[in-house]
Amino acid sequence: MPHPIRAAHVAVSWLTVFPVPQPRIAMDRIAGGAAISATPVVGMLLGILCAAIAFGLDHTDLPTALIGVLLVTVLAIATRGMHLDGLADTADGLGCYGPPERVAEVMRSGTVGPFGVATLVAVMLVQALGFGALTDQHRWYDLVFVVALGRLGAVIGARRGLPPAHPTGFGALVANTQRVSIAVWATLAALGAFATGFFSGTTAFDTHVAIQSLVVVVVVLGITWGFTKHCARRAGGVTGDSLGAAIELGTAIAVVGLLL
């Protein structure tokens, strides 16, 4: 098993366009499992980037809704759009009729149908408006938190018991590899949610905000758990597309939950 720092290095080089040296490691299931376990670290880095950009743009005359759109654009560029592509492909696959073979074929077709487009637009719109609202309220910590929390969906989707849908590809490298990492990251997510009480804008710890954030963590974990299980059942196993879809869906749910 690669060292945690090496796993984070692989995850960053694999899942972002950040200019880091390519890791000198064989990309097998061991490396893939280690990298996917470090996906929330990538989320933290992306969240910090978004918060920094939002903080800077907040000092301009740009509308907060436009700032939210720019943040979603930055995330798409920084991740090569792979998660958004996975969301669209997964939506098309789940929206078709037929056995798992047919669903997998639609998801791997490379084209985006109307269901995929509608889902993509809806999720991106929710994220953009949500990020804009957090910016308007100067909730920089929450921006980092929701982006990192959304990445936990990939770890959950690669859990033990869900086999890969195909013998090759991204899903084959990471499916059925996660167990302890889920508990670790769920605990860290709960601690991160508790910390939102210190960043609520008041001088004292805000218990209500902390409890709300903890509920959001539970909801995101529960929905992404059920969503990835459903995707695996429909497609005959885990795919890279379904993991990307879980990330985008989890992020959208998290930002809505924090704004309620």
Side-chain angles (χ1 to χ4, degrees):
M1 178 68 67
H3 189 278
I5 295 180
R6 177 64 66 85
H9 179 195
V10 174
V12 171
S13 67
W14 204 3
L15 301 174
T16 74
V17 296
F18 294 158
V20 297
Q22 289 299 310
R24 298 179 179 179
I25 186 173
M27 290 311 300
D28 52 16
R29 279 183 55 81
I30 295 178
I36 209 70
S37 70
T39 304
V41 175
V42 177
M44 292 179 200
L45 296 176
L46 292 171
I48 291 172
L49 174 64
C50 282
I53 294 174
F55 178 79
L57 293 178
D58 186 56
H59 290 79
T60 69
D61 294 329
L62 287 178
T64 53
L66 180 56
I67 293 176
V69 171
L70 292 175
L71 295 181
V72 170
T73 302
V74 167
L75 284 176
I77 294 173
T79 58
R80 304 184 185 91
M82 65 175 72
H83 306 322
L84 294 174
D85 178 69
L87 174 66
D89 288 342
T90 300
D92 281 332
L94 296 180
C96 76
Y97 296 100
E101 295 78 14
R102 172 58 180 162
V103 175
E105 178 185 355
V106 171
M107 293 173 67
R108 300 186 74 178
S109 65
T111 59
V112 181
F115 195 34
V117 171
T119 302
L120 189 62
V121 170
V123 171
M124 292 182 71
L125 185 61
V126 168
Q127 291 184 7
L129 294 177
F131 290 166
L134 291 180
T135 300
D136 186 50
Q137 298 173 22
H138 299 164
R139 295 167 65 175
W140 317 122
Y141 175 83
D142 289 355
L143 271 171
V144 179
F145 180 69
V146 297
V147 176
L149 180 59
R151 266 61 190 172
L152 187 51
V155 183
I156 291 174
R159 66 185 179 272
R160 296 285 180 87
L162 297 183
H166 313 288
T168 60
F170 186 88
L173 280 176
V174 302
N176 201 27
T177 62
Q178 305 301 308
R179 183 172 55 185
V180 176
S181 61
I182 296 176
V184 171
W185 283 116
T187 301
L188 292 175
L191 292 175
F194 181 79
T196 60
F198 293 105
F199 299 95
S200 61
T202 61
T203 56
F205 178 80
D206 194 323
T207 304
H208 174 76
V209 170
I211 292 176
Q212 179 180 351
S213 299
L214 285 170
V215 171
V216 169
V217 169
V218 173
V219 171
V220 169
L221 295 182
I223 291 179
T224 52
W225 188 285
F227 174 74
T228 51
K229 182 178 180 180
H230 177 65
C231 289
R233 181 181 64 83
R234 288 295 314 279
V238 174
T239 67
D241 286 335
S242 63
L243 298 183
I247 287 175
E248 297 297 342
L249 180 64
T251 303
I253 293 171
V255 72
V256 170
L258 290 187
L259 289 169
L260 288 176

